[in-house]
Amino acid sequence: MNNFDTKDIVKKYNFKFNKNLGQNFLVDDTVLIDIVEGAEIGPEDYVIEIGPGVGTLTKELLKRAKHVYSIELDNNLIPILEEELKEFDNFTLIHKDAMKADLKEIIGDKESVKLVANLPYYVTTPIITKVLNEDYNFKSLTVMIQKEVAERMNADPNCKEYGSLTTLVKYYCDTKLLRKVSPNCFIPRPKVESIVIRLDKLEKPRVDVKDKKLFFRIIRSSFNMRRKTLRNALKVLGLDKKIMEECFLESEIDPQRRGETLSLEEFCTLSNCIYNRL
Ligand code: SAM
């Protein structure tokens, strides 16, 4: 099914797509509906949308949510969004780079906040990393992203997709792949396939880590040099060799293993052992 709104609006305002801003607008109604239904948006929900484009997904969100805050960077889209969505009094448009936006200011102490977005590909990982690391009070994130990035978020140990992004997402969230989306569902057509993924924030992080910074540093170091054994990859921590060996022994992790074989729980055990000896 085609969404004539998007194409009509683009034509009406003679809008010129900016490749550098990852502008691929949705023109398929079934995908729009699957995103808002997958996110389970209801009248109690406050929604933060990143990159509303000409407002097609925004409109569907506005019909269901209590309030929608959309953050858009492109100057040229601001007057279009103001005009096209003026009938909605539950809409706030924020003209900003999402990477610089203070989401805490928007969220405040609101109860049910959900992030929904068809994210620009070039900034997908930094945005997800920022949102998770800054530990906002989101209930869920339902995002359409490049297929490969979604697969990395949803990966298991021992496969090539498993990496720092997987562990960050799994530390904070449960993941669910909702659907695949073909390049034909966008204008202009992107080169890659997309996936709609939902991340449900856990009540508390999945593992009980004593020092979050150290935990993620160990993970990053382990994956930075994927081919190296843990013993070699973790030399960058600068710890005494003997202490490191004791930590491997105590956490029952063979230092000959590679980082990509460790589960989140194993990274947690190792990181807590190291923390105890610092
Ligand atoms: N939501 C629309 C849709 O589904 O058709 C448009 C999605 S398009 C993939 C990404 C949108 O994000 C564009 O409107 C683009 O201008 C905007 N954008 C790109 N970088 C951004 C940033 N750093 N902060 C906020 N918006 C950004």
Side-chain angles (χ1 to χ4, degrees):
M1 204 189 337
N2 283 330
N3 185 301
F4 295 106
D5 265 10
T6 305
K7 286 182 187 161
D8 280 352
I9 299 170
V10 165
K11 211 166 151 197
K12 179 172 156 192
Y13 293 91
N14 193 20
F15 176 75
K16 300 277 177 273
F17 290 91
N18 183 341
K19 253 193 176 176
N20 294 333
L21 290 182
Q23 291 180 339
N24 304 97
F25 295 170
L26 257 174
V27 288
D28 187 308
D29 282 354
T30 60
V31 181
L32 282 180
I33 299 303
D34 286 350
I35 295 175
V36 285
E37 287 187 352
E40 294 181 49
I41 302 299
E44 303 300 311
D45 294 327
Y46 294 88
V47 175
I48 296 186
E49 186 198 15
I50 293 171
V54 292
T56 333
L57 175 60
T58 324
K59 209 181 242 179
E60 290 308 316
L61 294 166
L62 284 162
K63 288 182 202 164
R64 294 166 169 80
K66 188 174 184 109
H67 202 99
V68 178
Y69 300 85
S70 298
I71 308 171
E72 176 58 61
L73 176 60
D74 188 351
N75 297 338
N76 297 327
L77 286 169
I78 302 302
I80 301 177
L81 287 159
E82 281 170 349
E83 177 58 27
E84 293 298 321
L85 300 173
K86 65 180 178 210
E87 72 196 82
F88 295 96
D89 57 10
N90 58 340
F91 178 52
T92 304
L93 180 58
I94 300 162
H95 183 194
K96 236 186 193 150
D97 178 345
M99 283 304 292
K100 295 183 186 146
D102 182 355
L103 301 184
K104 272 212 170 94
E105 209 175 87
I106 306 171
I107 295 170
D109 55 4
K110 295 179 182 75
E111 280 275 304
S112 183
V113 188
K114 294 176 177 171
L115 187 137
V116 182
N118 169 13
L119 285 176
Y121 295 136
Y122 80 100
V123 82
T124 300
T125 306
I127 286 183
I128 301 276
T129 306
K130 170 186 158 85
V131 169
L132 293 181
N133 266 336
E134 293 180 6
D135 209 4
Y136 300 112
N137 189 24
F138 280 111
K139 254 193 163 166
S140 62
L141 292 80
T142 305
V143 287
M144 177 150 59
I145 55 180
Q146 194 175 331
K147 179 172 162 268
E148 287 70 21
V149 181
E151 285 168 351
R152 275 164 51 207
M153 289 181 183
N154 202 42
D156 290 316
N158 285 310
C159 68
K160 68 176 185 348
E161 290 82 15
Y162 185 64
S164 305
L165 182 64
T166 322
T167 54
L168 176 71
V169 168
K170 286 200 192 284
Y171 179 70
Y172 287 111
C173 308
D174 278 335
T175 53
K176 192 172 171 199
L177 300 184
L178 296 182
R179 64 163 288 170
K180 281 191 188 162
V181 183
S182 129
N184 295 330
C185 299
F186 303 88
I187 52 164
R189 234 175 144 268
K191 289 197 179 77
V192 293
E193 276 196 273
S194 303
I195 278 185
V196 182
I197 186 169
R198 176 164 145 176
L199 313 180
D200 284 302
K201 260 319 259 306
L202 299 164
E203 293 261 312
K204 60 181 185 60
R206 192 176 303 277
V207 289
D208 201 0
V209 168
K210 289 191 173 151
D211 181 338
K212 203 166 87 178
K213 259 194 174 161
L214 175 69
F215 173 67
F216 282 113
R217 194 166 161 227
I218 290 172
I219 290 178
R220 271 196 314 276
S221 308
S222 307
F223 287 115
N224 266 347
M225 293 177 263
R226 288 183 84 99
R227 306 302 300 163
K228 288 202 173 178
T229 62
L230 283 171
R231 181 181 279 127
N232 285 332
L234 294 184
K235 276 184 184 157
V236 291
L237 296 176
L239 278 168
D240 182 84
K241 213 172 150 189
K242 188 167 157 274
I243 294 183
M244 225 23 236
E245 290 302 320
E246 283 169 12
C247 291
F248 285 127
L249 205 63
E250 193 186 318
S251 55
E252 295 179 16
I253 289 169
D254 180 353
Q256 288 295 102
R257 285 171 67 185
R258 293 192 187 128
E260 64 195 15
T261 68
L262 263 64
S263 66
L264 197 70
E265 290 72 15
E266 287 178 310
F267 273 121
C268 172
T269 310
L270 180 61
S271 151
N272 287 349
C273 283
I274 293 175
Y275 175 83
N276 287 339
R277 279 160 208 267
L278 287 178

